[in-house]
Amino acid sequence: MSDTAHPTAADTTGTGGDTGGDDITSRISTFVTDRFPQAELTPTQDIFALGYINSLFAMELVMFVERAFAVTIPNEELSIDNFRTVESMSGLVGRLRPAVAAG
């Protein structure tokens, strides 16, 4: 298996004034479409409704999000709704990342 979807250290630091929401969305979308190239995926597309996702890939999604964005997903956030769409995963990352822009 290839680990080409893993970010560089610079991608996960969370430094800078911008949360990088577009980058987060793009990277999550790329991760999913790399696994399922036949999927036509939009940020609001329910990836579970596409029929490609099984429990193993759901765990891969959790691990990808944690590694790629340097976050730890607490048990209470391990809800299918947080992983149903690229947009919901991006929102989860935004909530879990340290609030570097908060003042």
Side-chain angles (χ1 to χ4, degrees):
M1 276 202 287
S2 171
D3 285 331
T4 58
H6 292 300
T8 63
D11 292 333
T12 61
T13 60
T15 58
D18 185 20
T19 59
D22 289 340
D23 182 53
I24 293 168
T25 299
S26 174
R27 289 171 57 200
I28 293 170
S29 181
T30 297
F31 177 78
V32 176
T33 56
D34 280 353
R35 299 302 194 278
F36 304 102
Q38 69 278 24
E40 294 182 24
L41 192 63
T42 67
T44 58
Q45 176 81 40
D46 184 338
I47 63 173
F48 289 91
L50 292 174
Y52 303 120
I53 309 303
N54 59 28
S55 59
L56 178 60
F57 186 71
M59 289 308 303
E60 285 183 50
L61 275 174
V62 171
M63 290 172 43
F64 167 76
V65 168
E66 287 187 330
R67 288 181 186 160
F69 304 106
V71 297
T72 299
I73 302 171
N75 288 340
E76 60 271 11
E77 294 285 2
L78 289 173
S79 161
I80 194 170
D81 289 334
N82 283 331
F83 295 89
R84 189 173 297 283
T85 68
V86 171
E87 188 175 76
S88 63
M89 286 183 270
S90 183
L92 175 64
V93 170
R95 290 191 311 274
L96 294 177
R97 273 191 159 175
V100 295

